[in-house]
């Protein structure tokens, strides 16, 4: 069982993440839009859209983690219902990885240093790696549920 302190800390981090992401959506993305007024409109729309969608991915992951933490607090995380949230997390992280690679690709023909583009591609690969880690965790959850079902049958 998760301790109350762990649950409170996790929820505090999730709230901070969601509040910060809302501030990005309301304040920073419009500022980026204004800062890019001299670039071609198609590039501007693509760049700001990628950033906005990336923030939405973060928000989706935060909400799903909140639900999983709630399930863990209620000792219900070892249920089939948890898979829905884990699958959504995997999807959102995967989309974020693709968006990150898309941003790097968008920057290739520009005046951005190749090293910066390479770092962004590296971040895309690392983000994809996080999705794969969650896939592994999903398989461990499935195994834990199977073992719990077997133990319940024995008891």
């Amino acid at each position: 069982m998760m301790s109350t302190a762990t649950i409170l800390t996790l929820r505090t981090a999730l709230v901070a993440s969601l509040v910060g992401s809302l501030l990005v959506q309301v304040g920073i993305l419009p500022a980026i839009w204004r800062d890019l007024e001299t670039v071609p409109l198609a590039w501007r729309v693509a760049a700001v859209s990628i950033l906005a969608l990336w923030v939405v991915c973060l928000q989706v992951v935060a909400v799903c983690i909140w639900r999983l933490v709630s399930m863990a607090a209620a000792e219900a995380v070892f249920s089939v219902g948890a898979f829905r949230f884990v699958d959504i997390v995997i999807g959102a992280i995967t989309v974020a990885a693709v968006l990150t690679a898309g941003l790097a690709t968008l920057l290739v023909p520009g005046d951005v240093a190749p090293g910066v583009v390479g770092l962004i591609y590296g971040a895309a690969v690392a983000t994809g790696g996080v999705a794969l880690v969650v896939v592994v965790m999903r398989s461990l959850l499935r195994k834990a549920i199977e073992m719990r079902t077997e133990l319940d049958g024995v008891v």
Side-chain angles (χ1 to χ4, degrees):
M1 179 159 160
M2 290 178 66
S3 74
T4 304
T6 302
I7 292 169
L8 183 60
T9 302
L10 240 172
R11 286 186 173 161
T12 301
L14 291 170
V15 167
S17 171
L18 287 168
V19 168
S21 69
L22 288 173
L23 292 173
V24 167
Q25 287 173 317
V26 172
I28 295 179
L29 288 178
I32 291 171
W33 178 263
R34 286 188 301 275
D35 288 347
L36 295 176
E37 67 185 24
T38 60
V39 300
L41 182 61
W43 195 95
R44 185 181 188 193
V45 168
V48 175
S49 295
I50 288 170
L51 295 173
L53 290 171
W54 204 95
V55 172
V56 169
C57 289
L58 169 77
Q59 292 168 332
V60 167
V61 169
V63 168
C64 288
I65 291 173
W66 184 284
R67 290 293 300 131
L68 289 167
V69 168
S70 296
M71 291 177 81
E75 296 189 28
V77 75
F78 293 112
S79 67
V80 178
F83 286 109
R84 174 176 36 154
F85 299 109
V86 174
D87 290 342
I88 293 170
V89 167
I90 292 167
I93 296 171
T94 301
V95 169
V98 171
L99 290 168
T100 305
L103 180 63
T105 302
L106 193 62
L107 295 172
V108 168
D111 294 331
V112 178
V116 172
V117 173
L119 284 172
I120 297 171
Y121 275 125
V125 171
T127 305
V130 171
L132 291 174
V133 168
V134 178
V135 168
V136 170
M137 299 303 288
R138 183 187 189 285
S139 68
L140 293 174
L141 176 63
R142 177 171 302 288
K143 188 54 109 178
I145 290 171
E146 289 171 4
M147 291 173 65
R148 187 170 193 166
T149 302
E150 286 178 23
L151 284 175
D152 286 346
V154 171
V155 173

